[in-house]
Amino acid sequence: MKDEVGEVVDTTSDHFDGLEPSTAYTYTVVAKGDGVSTLDSEPVTSSFTTGDPQLTPPANLVVSGVGTDTATLTWDPVDNATDYSVYATNVTNGGVNSSDETAQTTYTFIGLLPGCDFTAYVTAHDSTGTWGISGKSEVVSFATTSAS
């Protein structure tokens, strides 16, 4: 067998490093005999396309500035992400209370219900679609204060 740079390997498998995402590659395998060309197999050619790289989920979510109807969520930036979707779910009353998109790594939820428990999470994505959409971040919990 020869890998893409033409080296002979003495195994029945090989690993290709440095491949580009979303790129088609073709390879050919020939089983070599003991040096006599008539013992070589016919070449077998196959193709594959590398997958798109995936964004990692946002990490290290922190909730701060919680008030009667607001809470601020921050997280670490994700490589190759251009935008983030943020979600807050009202656990006390059920349902998504707030969802939005931002290009920043901080977001303030406004208009939350006072005196309720919430969970929040973030997903990352890019505007070109090259990197896809990440999975959900860890879920964080917080409670808005009661109105006086």
Side-chain angles (χ1 to χ4, degrees):
M1 268 189 305
K2 294 184 179 185
D3 69 14
E4 70 178 319
V5 294
E7 295 178 18
V8 174
V9 296
D10 59 359
T11 65
T12 57
S13 65
D14 200 7
H15 178 83
F16 302 110
D17 291 317
L19 302 179
E20 293 295 321
S22 302
T23 303
Y25 291 90
T26 301
Y27 62 96
T28 301
V29 176
V30 175
K32 300 300 277 181
D34 60 3
V36 179
S37 63
T38 58
L39 297 178
D40 293 349
S41 72
E42 291 296 318
V44 175
T45 301
S46 185
S47 299
F48 65 93
T49 301
T50 54
D52 289 332
Q54 298 296 307
L55 292 172
T56 58
N60 299 317
L61 274 67
V62 174
V63 179
S64 62
V66 179
T68 56
D69 66 350
T70 62
T72 299
L73 185 62
T74 58
W75 57 93
D76 291 344
V78 174
D79 289 343
N80 300 306
T82 57
D83 298 294
Y84 301 91
S85 295
V86 292
Y87 304 89
T89 301
N90 184 326
V91 178
T92 304
N93 295 326
V96 173
N97 187 276
S98 182
S99 64
D100 205 354
E101 291 188 10
T102 180
Q104 306 302 313
T105 57
T106 187
Y107 182 83
T108 300
F109 294 103
I110 299 172
L112 301 173
L113 292 176
C116 292
D117 294 324
F118 290 86
T119 58
Y121 67 90
V122 181
T123 60
H125 53 92
D126 75 290
S127 59
T128 65
T130 302
W131 296 89
I133 298 173
S134 75
K136 288 178 14 178
S137 67
E138 73 261 27
V139 176
V140 293
S141 299
F142 63 95
T144 53
T145 56
S146 296
S148 18

PDB file of all heavy atoms in Angstrom, residues 98-113:
ATOM      1  N   SER A  98     -37.216  32.952  27.239  1.00  0.00           N
ATOM      2  CA  SER A  98     -36.422  33.884  26.445  1.00  0.00           C
ATOM      3  C   SER A  98     -35.435  33.121  25.581  1.00  0.00           C
ATOM      4  O   SER A  98     -34.824  32.155  26.032  1.00  0.00           O
ATOM      5  CB  SER A  98     -35.659  34.839  27.370  1.00  0.00           C
ATOM      6  OG  SER A  98     -34.917  35.780  26.623  1.00  0.00           O
ATOM      7  N   SER A  99     -35.318  33.517  24.328  1.00  0.00           N
ATOM      8  CA  SER A  99     -34.268  32.997  23.448  1.00  0.00           C
ATOM      9  C   SER A  99     -33.872  34.112  22.496  1.00  0.00           C
ATOM     10  O   SER A  99     -34.700  34.936  22.113  1.00  0.00           O
ATOM     11  CB  SER A  99     -34.730  31.762  22.676  1.00  0.00           C
ATOM     12  OG  SER A  99     -35.776  32.084  21.800  1.00  0.00           O
ATOM     13  N   ASP A 100     -32.600  34.146  22.148  1.00  0.00           N
ATOM     14  CA  ASP A 100     -32.103  35.218  21.287  1.00  0.00           C
ATOM     15  C   ASP A 100     -30.759  34.795  20.713  1.00  0.00           C
ATOM     16  O   ASP A 100     -30.225  33.742  21.056  1.00  0.00           O
ATOM     17  CB  ASP A 100     -31.952  36.504  22.087  1.00  0.00           C
ATOM     18  CG  ASP A 100     -32.037  37.759  21.225  1.00  0.00           C
ATOM     19  OD1 ASP A 100     -32.103  37.651  19.985  1.00  0.00           O
ATOM     20  OD2 ASP A 100     -32.043  38.864  21.806  1.00  0.00           O
ATOM     21  N   GLU A 101     -30.201  35.631  19.831  1.00  0.00           N
ATOM     22  CA  GLU A 101     -28.872  35.414  19.266  1.00  0.00           C
ATOM     23  C   GLU A 101     -28.006  36.615  19.562  1.00  0.00           C
ATOM     24  O   GLU A 101     -28.487  37.742  19.642  1.00  0.00           O
ATOM     25  CB  GLU A 101     -28.955  35.169  17.764  1.00  0.00           C
ATOM     26  CG  GLU A 101     -29.593  33.852  17.415  1.00  0.00           C
ATOM     27  CD  GLU A 101     -29.507  33.518  15.936  1.00  0.00           C
ATOM     28  OE1 GLU A 101     -28.786  34.213  15.195  1.00  0.00           O
ATOM     29  OE2 GLU A 101     -30.167  32.556  15.543  1.00  0.00           O
ATOM     30  N   THR A 102     -26.699  36.344  19.718  1.00  0.00           N
ATOM     31  CA  THR A 102     -25.738  37.410  19.965  1.00  0.00           C
ATOM     32  C   THR A 102     -24.391  37.010  19.378  1.00  0.00           C
ATOM     33  O   THR A 102     -24.083  35.831  19.279  1.00  0.00           O
ATOM     34  CB  THR A 102     -25.598  37.707  21.477  1.00  0.00           C
ATOM     35  OG1 THR A 102     -24.645  38.759  21.657  1.00  0.00           O
ATOM     36  CG2 THR A 102     -25.149  36.473  22.249  1.00  0.00           C
ATOM     37  N   ALA A 103     -23.604  38.007  19.012  1.00  0.00           N
ATOM     38  CA  ALA A 103     -22.242  37.754  18.548  1.00  0.00           C
ATOM     39  C   ALA A 103     -21.246  37.856  19.710  1.00  0.00           C
ATOM     40  O   ALA A 103     -20.077  37.545  19.553  1.00  0.00           O
ATOM     41  CB  ALA A 103     -21.864  38.740  17.442  1.00  0.00           C
ATOM     42  N   GLN A 104     -21.730  38.280  20.873  1.00  0.00           N
ATOM     43  CA  GLN A 104     -20.883  38.461  22.049  1.00  0.00           C
ATOM     44  C   GLN A 104     -20.879  37.200  22.907  1.00  0.00           C
ATOM     45  O   GLN A 104     -21.696  36.305  22.719  1.00  0.00           O
ATOM     46  CB  GLN A 104     -21.408  39.642  22.875  1.00  0.00           C
ATOM     47  CG  GLN A 104     -21.572  40.924  22.087  1.00  0.00           C
ATOM     48  CD  GLN A 104     -20.285  41.384  21.427  1.00  0.00           C
ATOM     49  OE1 GLN A 104     -19.235  41.409  22.076  1.00  0.00           O
ATOM     50  NE2 GLN A 104     -20.338  41.739  20.170  1.00  0.00           N
ATOM     51  N   THR A 105     -19.981  37.149  23.873  1.00  0.00           N
ATOM     52  CA  THR A 105     -19.941  36.029  24.817  1.00  0.00           C
ATOM     53  C   THR A 105     -20.559  36.430  26.155  1.00  0.00           C
ATOM     54  O   THR A 105     -20.220  35.888  27.205  1.00  0.00           O
ATOM     55  CB  THR A 105     -18.504  35.514  25.020  1.00  0.00           C
ATOM     56  OG1 THR A 105     -17.692  36.606  25.458  1.00  0.00           O
ATOM     57  CG2 THR A 105     -17.960  34.918  23.738  1.00  0.00           C
ATOM     58  N   THR A 106     -21.459  37.367  26.093  1.00  0.00           N
ATOM     59  CA  THR A 106     -22.255  37.780  27.250  1.00  0.00           C
ATOM     60  C   THR A 106     -23.631  38.174  26.740  1.00  0.00           C
ATOM     61  O   THR A 106     -23.762  38.686  25.623  1.00  0.00           O
ATOM     62  CB  THR A 106     -21.587  38.933  28.026  1.00  0.00           C
ATOM     63  OG1 THR A 106     -22.323  39.179  29.213  1.00  0.00           O
ATOM     64  CG2 THR A 106     -21.498  40.195  27.206  1.00  0.00           C
ATOM     65  N   TYR A 107     -24.632  37.881  27.536  1.00  0.00           N
ATOM     66  CA  TYR A 107     -26.004  38.222  27.136  1.00  0.00           C
ATOM     67  C   TYR A 107     -26.813  38.495  28.397  1.00  0.00           C
ATOM     68  O   TYR A 107     -26.709  37.756  29.380  1.00  0.00           O
ATOM     69  CB  TYR A 107     -26.650  37.083  26.350  1.00  0.00           C
ATOM     70  CG  TYR A 107     -28.042  37.424  25.890  1.00  0.00           C
ATOM     71  CD1 TYR A 107     -28.244  38.168  24.732  1.00  0.00           C
ATOM     72  CD2 TYR A 107     -29.141  37.029  26.625  1.00  0.00           C
ATOM     73  CE1 TYR A 107     -29.518  38.505  24.311  1.00  0.00           C
ATOM     74  CE2 TYR A 107     -30.426  37.366  26.215  1.00  0.00           C
ATOM     75  CZ  TYR A 107     -30.607  38.103  25.071  1.00  0.00           C
ATOM     76  OH  TYR A 107     -31.867  38.449  24.658  1.00  0.00           O
ATOM     77  N   THR A 108     -27.617  39.563  28.353  1.00  0.00           N
ATOM     78  CA  THR A 108     -28.504  39.880  29.471  1.00  0.00           C
ATOM     79  C   THR A 108     -29.937  39.572  29.074  1.00  0.00           C
ATOM     80  O   THR A 108     -30.460  40.139  28.105  1.00  0.00           O
ATOM     81  CB  THR A 108     -28.364  41.350  29.895  1.00  0.00           C
ATOM     82  OG1 THR A 108     -27.001  41.580  30.293  1.00  0.00           O
ATOM     83  CG2 THR A 108     -29.296  41.685  31.048  1.00  0.00           C
ATOM     84  N   PHE A 109     -30.541  38.651  29.813  1.00  0.00           N
ATOM     85  CA  PHE A 109     -31.969  38.358  29.639  1.00  0.00           C
ATOM     86  C   PHE A 109     -32.746  39.483  30.302  1.00  0.00           C
ATOM     87  O   PHE A 109     -32.476  39.848  31.449  1.00  0.00           O
ATOM     88  CB  PHE A 109     -32.339  37.021  30.296  1.00  0.00           C
ATOM     89  CG  PHE A 109     -31.699  35.827  29.647  1.00  0.00           C
ATOM     90  CD1 PHE A 109     -30.608  35.211  30.236  1.00  0.00           C
ATOM     91  CD2 PHE A 109     -32.196  35.304  28.456  1.00  0.00           C
ATOM     92  CE1 PHE A 109     -30.022  34.100  29.654  1.00  0.00           C
ATOM     93  CE2 PHE A 109     -31.613  34.197  27.865  1.00  0.00           C
ATOM     94  CZ  PHE A 109     -30.529  33.593  28.465  1.00  0.00           C
ATOM     95  N   ILE A 110     -33.725  40.028  29.591  1.00  0.00           N
ATOM     96  CA  ILE A 110     -34.563  41.120  30.102  1.00  0.00           C
ATOM     97  C   ILE A 110     -36.018  40.676  30.001  1.00  0.00           C
ATOM     98  O   ILE A 110     -36.410  40.025  29.034  1.00  0.00           O
ATOM     99  CB  ILE A 110     -34.331  42.412  29.284  1.00  0.00           C
ATOM    100  CG1 ILE A 110     -32.864  42.834  29.402  1.00  0.00           C
ATOM    101  CG2 ILE A 110     -35.264  43.532  29.733  1.00  0.00           C
ATOM    102  CD1 ILE A 110     -32.485  43.986  28.489  1.00  0.00           C
ATOM    103  N   GLY A 111     -36.813  41.019  30.988  1.00  0.00           N
ATOM    104  CA  GLY A 111     -38.232  40.692  30.952  1.00  0.00           C
ATOM    105  C   GLY A 111     -38.558  39.318  31.512  1.00  0.00           C
ATOM    106  O   GLY A 111     -39.619  38.760  31.228  1.00  0.00           O
ATOM    107  N   LEU A 112     -37.663  38.761  32.328  1.00  0.00           N
ATOM    108  CA  LEU A 112     -37.947  37.488  32.985  1.00  0.00           C
ATOM    109  C   LEU A 112     -39.005  37.697  34.063  1.00  0.00           C
ATOM    110  O   LEU A 112     -39.161  38.800  34.592  1.00  0.00           O
ATOM    111  CB  LEU A 112     -36.662  36.925  33.599  1.00  0.00           C
ATOM    112  CG  LEU A 112     -35.505  36.661  32.638  1.00  0.00           C
ATOM    113  CD1 LEU A 112     -34.251  36.267  33.415  1.00  0.00           C
ATOM    114  CD2 LEU A 112     -35.868  35.585  31.634  1.00  0.00           C
ATOM    115  N   LEU A 113     -39.708  36.653  34.409  1.00  0.00           N
ATOM    116  CA  LEU A 113     -40.725  36.751  35.449  1.00  0.00           C
ATOM    117  C   LEU A 113     -40.059  36.787  36.831  1.00  0.00           C
ATOM    118  O   LEU A 113     -39.161  35.981  37.119  1.00  0.00           O
ATOM    119  CB  LEU A 113     -41.689  35.579  35.371  1.00  0.00           C
ATOM    120  CG  LEU A 113     -42.598  35.554  34.141  1.00  0.00           C
ATOM    121  CD1 LEU A 113     -43.442  34.283  34.137  1.00  0.00           C
ATOM    122  CD2 LEU A 113     -43.489  36.787  34.106  1.00  0.00           C
TER     123      LEU A 113
END
